[in-house]
Amino acid sequence: MRIIRFIIVKEFIQIFRNPLLVLIILSQPFIQVLLLGTAGGDINYASVYVVDEDLSSTSREIISKMEGSDFFDIRGAALTMDEAYKVMEYKNINLIVHFPPNFEKKLIKEHSSKVQLVTNAIDAITASLTYAYSSEIIGAVNKDVAIKWGSKSLSNKASTVSIPYSYWYNRALISQYIMVPAMCVAMVVMITILLSGMNIVKEKEIGTMEQLNVTPMRKTHFIMGKIIPVWIINIVLLAIGLILSSLVFHVPVVGSLWLVFFLSGVVMFLLLAVGVLISVISNTQQQAMFFTFFIIMIFVIFGDFITPIDNMPSWGKAMADLNPQAYYSRMIHLVITKGSGIKDILPDLLKVSGLTFATLAVSLWIFNKKD
Amino acid sequence: MSQPEKAYSISVENLTKKFDDFVAVDKITFNVKKGEIFGFLGANGAGKTTAMRMLIGVLEPTSGKGEVAGFDIFKNSRKLKKHIGYMSQKFSLYDDLTAKENMRFFGGIYGLTNKEIRNRTKELLTHFGMEHIEKERVSSLPLGWKQKLAFCTALMHKPDVVFLDEPTSGVDPSIRRQFWEMIYETAEGGVTVLVTTHNMDEAEYCHRISMMVAGKMITVDTPQNLKDKYKLETMGEVFLHLARGYEKEHAITAS
């Protein structure tokens, strides 16, 4: 145990003797959480072009309702669809609303009429949101029309059961409540793997590993001495990240803050184990660097961050079972956003611990064999 | 024969290391007395470093017997490591730590107490006249001083045997001289020194030398005896004579 302490002290001296490294590490919470947390904004705006060939009171009512909502921004009107398509092509319009001639007449005579909605699906998420919101507005107009003209068929369609939405755990759908904790997770994953991944291989490259191999020091002690400083640094970074998320974005921590740190501490050991494995496999820092980037990419893509794991094919889900980031972001969201307790995350914590021991055992085996 | 063997710090019998088909070290046998400075000579790739790596417990021998500081190199490599010091060919202290911090770290790794570390650091630095570099970062030291510091660090835990792998390569003659004075002083204190070199001037400084060619140890004797035996002036000539002779003979038997 005393030996581990000597290694930890040495590691800290070396880190603090490298001011650029300290600066880069300490700037991470500010860059990742502040900048990226702000950049990943909500979709709260769609630009609209109108092609009104009907020019009736109903078509105008729908347009004015759209104008009245904060979401739609009516940019202009075109006389023909061709003209509107051109605008969509060159000016990046999200939606074209097209009222065909005799739109209102048909509505009164035949109790049914058609509006055309053309959405720009280059940005799929905005397109589907735009479509949903505009359908909602048209639905509301349907209801008014039905009441106004007492149309039977329309009043049947205007169902009496309405569906009010409520988004649990994030009622206002504030994206920062999801984004900011996710950025904290991404930051911890990146820094932990990067620092520990470069750590042991550096000693190999500068030749000190050879010297250490001649001492009676055990490899287990060496690895512990190497990863504990990185662990401490990341706990500090996480604390800074959470303070920023609370001060700047007012992200509430619904669950216990202690639990957030506890689960992070556990997951960090798995991340450190991954770093150690990279360090042990690599012979040079360059190799380790490439390895680390490759692994972080996979972790992020399969980490519930870009695509939800539930939507992945079975092999993707299987990969997520081995992915520290997937466990970490799931648990963090459960505790921070939903307020889950230790019981709810215990299965994940146990799996993470199992993976940690397995990874460390493999690393140690390779380390003993290779060097 | 078993009784006197105990007087040896290093005793090796038929030690062999094979890497697949390549025999890097071929049945070498030699003994080194306590307090002796023993030179390992040979050209690059002759097997000196491989032999040394087996003796310091980082490379497992293929066959043969070996005992260093009273410990079997097969069975007790961890215990053995506590009693030996090693200075590698490649400079291997931490550049970003000071001299004192390096010595403290390695002292700690060898399990010394804080008090022992303090006393030993002071003792070694004073003894070798290096007190003034105590607080200097290693990166700012000239190569010769780095090597002297590496030697001090290897002595932190009072080892019985020190292994020096080409300790003076790239060092200027005056520092080399000082370095050898350090080696002599250490050996006089009862520490056995095994040093590899391909610098033939240095070979003259050793009490006894062994010469390796193509994995085999072709001779073990004092430098004076060797020069007398072959009636040559310098160790360099002896080395060339022996190496060429061996290679010729070997080429004939091989063809």
Side-chain angles (χ1 to χ4, degrees):
Chain A
M1 286 307 121
R2 252 186 108 245
I3 289 179
I4 298 181
R5 220 181 64 214
F6 276 102
I7 302 171
I8 294 174
V9 169
K10 181 215 104 188
E11 289 295 310
F12 271 121
I13 296 177
Q14 286 186 304
I15 290 168
F16 286 112
R17 290 263 162 90
N18 192 342
L20 188 63
L21 183 69
V22 176
L23 191 72
I24 292 172
I25 293 174
L26 283 180
S27 64
Q28 287 310 307
F30 295 92
I31 292 173
Q32 303 226 11
V33 177
L34 278 189
L35 267 175
L36 300 177
T38 324
D42 302 299
I43 299 163
N44 46 20
Y45 156 87
S47 47
V48 182
Y49 238 66
V50 178
V51 180
D52 190 354
E53 294 182 80
D54 191 41
L55 295 170
S56 62
S57 62
T58 314
S59 66
R60 262 181 231 127
E61 196 190 332
I62 292 176
I63 295 166
S64 75
K65 277 219 160 139
M66 282 185 144
E67 259 173 329
S69 103
D70 286 337
F71 186 78
F72 294 105
D73 172 25
I74 308 240
R75 285 286 177 81
L79 290 174
T80 62
M81 276 308 277
D82 283 344
E83 207 181 313
Y85 281 137
K86 262 187 197 143
V87 177
M88 184 180 266
E89 229 170 285
Y90 294 115
K91 288 195 176 158
N92 204 17
I93 295 293
N94 296 108
L95 173 74
I96 302 170
V97 187
H98 178 212
F99 300 97
N102 303 322
F103 164 72
E104 193 185 51
K105 223 179 249 172
K106 267 193 187 166
L107 189 64
I108 296 165
K109 276 191 184 164
E110 299 167 23
H111 304 305
S112 128
S113 193
K114 279 176 181 163
V115 188
Q116 186 185 15
L117 297 175
V118 180
T119 51
N120 183 347
I122 292 272
D123 176 357
I125 298 170
T126 313
S128 64
L129 263 179
T130 309
Y131 177 74
Y133 285 147
S134 39
S135 309
E136 215 173 293
I137 286 179
I138 292 166
V141 173
N142 268 341
K143 237 187 204 170
D144 294 347
V145 168
I147 294 161
K148 224 175 176 173
W149 288 306
S151 153
K152 265 187 189 159
S153 60
L154 269 178
S155 67
N156 283 346
K157 270 184 192 163
S159 140
T160 46
V161 180
S162 64
I163 307 166
Y165 296 94
S166 174
Y167 297 96
W168 269 37
Y169 311 122
N170 186 3
R171 280 176 199 259
L173 273 187
I174 299 171
S175 70
Q176 264 116 27
Y177 287 8
I178 303 295
M179 268 313 271
V180 174
M183 287 322 300
C184 287
V185 166
M187 167 187 76
V188 167
V189 169
M190 209 178 86
I191 301 290
T192 315
I193 300 183
L194 205 56
L195 282 183
S196 57
M198 305 304 280
N199 217 335
I200 293 171
V201 75
K202 190 174 141 209
E203 304 247 356
K204 286 195 217 171
E205 208 170 80
I206 60 176
T208 40
M209 198 65 237
E210 197 189 335
Q211 190 70 44
L212 291 172
N213 279 336
V214 185
T215 69
M217 174 194 73
R218 286 178 193 278
K219 295 263 166 93
T220 344
H221 291 166
F222 180 61
I223 289 178
M224 290 313 287
K226 280 278 180 188
I227 65 180
I228 290 171
V230 184
W231 188 86
I232 295 173
I233 288 171
N234 275 281
I235 289 285
V236 172
L237 289 184
L238 178 70
I240 299 175
L242 288 177
I243 290 171
L244 287 177
S245 102
S246 158
L247 287 183
V248 180
F249 301 106
H250 312 291
V251 178
V253 178
V254 183
S256 144
L257 196 58
W258 292 116
L259 189 56
V260 171
F261 276 97
F262 175 71
L263 78 89
S264 301
V266 173
V267 177
M268 277 175 205
F269 275 110
L270 176 55
L271 297 165
L272 290 165
V274 172
V276 168
L277 184 61
I278 293 173
S279 218
V280 161
I281 293 172
S282 314
N283 293 318
T284 63
Q285 295 191 68
Q286 200 183 26
Q287 285 174 357
M289 190 67 123
F290 274 102
F291 239 126
T292 307
F293 275 117
F294 174 67
I295 288 237
I296 288 177
M297 282 279 275
I298 291 182
F299 281 0
V300 171
I301 290 169
F302 289 91
D304 223 2
F305 187 56
I306 291 171
T307 328
I309 290 166
D310 292 333
N311 294 359
M312 286 181 188
S314 53
W315 61 267
K317 283 181 191 162
M319 274 181 84
D321 277 341
L322 295 173
N323 184 347
Q325 171 150 1
Y327 288 105
Y328 195 16
S329 47
R330 180 161 63 224
M331 289 193 284
I332 278 282
H333 282 136
L334 280 176
V335 178
I336 289 190
T337 323
K338 193 177 171 187
S340 301
I342 184 135
K343 253 189 184 169
D344 305 290
I345 59 168
L346 198 61
D348 274 354
L349 278 180
L350 289 177
K351 277 188 212 161
V352 166
S353 312
L355 283 173
T356 308
F357 283 112
T359 315
L360 277 180
V362 172
S363 315
L364 203 61
W365 181 69
I366 296 175
F367 199 14
N368 273 322
K369 217 176 131 184
K370 257 180 84 175
D371 304 280
Chain B
M1 276 301 280
S2 62
Q3 202 50 37
E5 253 177 24
K6 293 288 167 206
Y8 292 125
S9 276
I10 303 174
S11 74
V12 167
E13 206 182 316
N14 288 328
L15 198 65
T16 302
K17 180 69 195 179
K18 285 184 191 160
F19 296 104
D20 297 322
D21 283 343
F22 175 67
V23 186
V25 173
D26 195 1
K27 290 184 185 157
I28 58 171
T29 300
F30 67 96
N31 295 307
V32 182
K33 286 188 293 256
K34 188 171 150 57
E36 190 175 2
I37 301 171
F38 189 82
F40 248 38
L41 267 66
N44 290 324
K48 296 176 306 218
T49 300
T50 309
M52 189 180 262
R53 284 171 62 81
M54 288 192 278
L55 297 178
I56 59 177
V58 295
L59 190 69
E60 200 176 332
T62 311
S63 61
K65 268 197 232 167
E67 232 183 65
V68 174
F71 298 96
D72 190 310
I73 59 172
F74 283 86
K75 289 178 214 148
N76 281 324
S77 68
R78 192 176 303 279
K79 276 187 192 158
L80 156 78
K81 285 173 179 174
K82 274 204 157 185
H83 298 270
I84 58 166
Y86 171 68
M87 187 180 150
S88 84
Q89 218 168 29
K90 196 171 159 190
F91 175 73
S92 54
L93 294 182
Y94 296 96
D95 251 349
D96 42 3
L97 299 187
T98 66
K100 203 177 168 185
E101 283 162 349
N102 266 297
M103 292 177 83
R104 185 179 162 71
F105 172 71
F106 282 100
I109 292 289
Y110 280 101
L112 268 59
T113 66
N114 289 338
K115 201 181 161 195
E116 281 172 332
I117 292 173
R118 262 197 313 277
N119 293 342
R120 189 74 179 142
T121 306
K122 205 175 164 202
E123 184 188 327
L124 282 167
L125 290 178
T126 319
H127 186 74
F128 294 119
M130 296 168 68
E131 305 101 310
H132 60 288
I133 63 154
E134 186 185 85
K135 291 201 169 68
E136 295 234 24
R137 296 228 189 132
V138 170
S139 55
S140 67
L141 296 174
L143 182 68
W145 283 91
K146 283 186 185 177
Q147 296 298 85
K148 282 164 78 173
L149 178 65
F151 186 62
C152 284
T153 309
L155 294 175
M156 272 301 277
H157 56 292
K158 299 188 176 167
D160 299 331
V161 187
V162 228
F163 292 86
L164 310 172
D165 195 2
E166 291 179 21
T168 57
S169 56
V171 170
D172 70 61
S174 86
I175 295 274
R176 177 175 291 160
R177 177 91 213 159
Q178 289 174 25
F179 198 90
W180 273 92
E181 276 163 19
M182 284 170 88
I183 293 178
Y184 271 109
E185 280 173 42
T186 309
E188 273 160 25
V191 178
T192 309
V193 180
L194 193 146
V195 52
T196 73
T197 180
H198 45 222
N199 181 315
M200 293 307 145
D201 295 334
E202 280 187 7
E204 313 258 5
Y205 300 145
C206 297
H207 294 149
R208 272 196 311 152
I209 56 150
S210 69
M211 203 171 282
M212 282 187 79
V213 179
K216 286 197 167 62
M217 195 166 270
I218 54 171
T219 185
V220 182
D221 214 334
T222 64
Q224 199 52 53
N225 282 353
L226 284 172
K227 282 186 279 186
D228 293 347
K229 188 174 168 190
Y230 298 105
K231 299 191 176 59
L232 292 166
E233 291 292 314
T234 65
M235 276 311 296
E237 289 166 14
V238 173
F239 177 76
L240 285 176
H241 175 81
L242 280 170
R244 276 188 196 143
Y246 180 85
E247 271 159 17
K248 254 183 214 159
E249 190 186 316
H250 198 71
I252 290 161
T253 46
S255 63

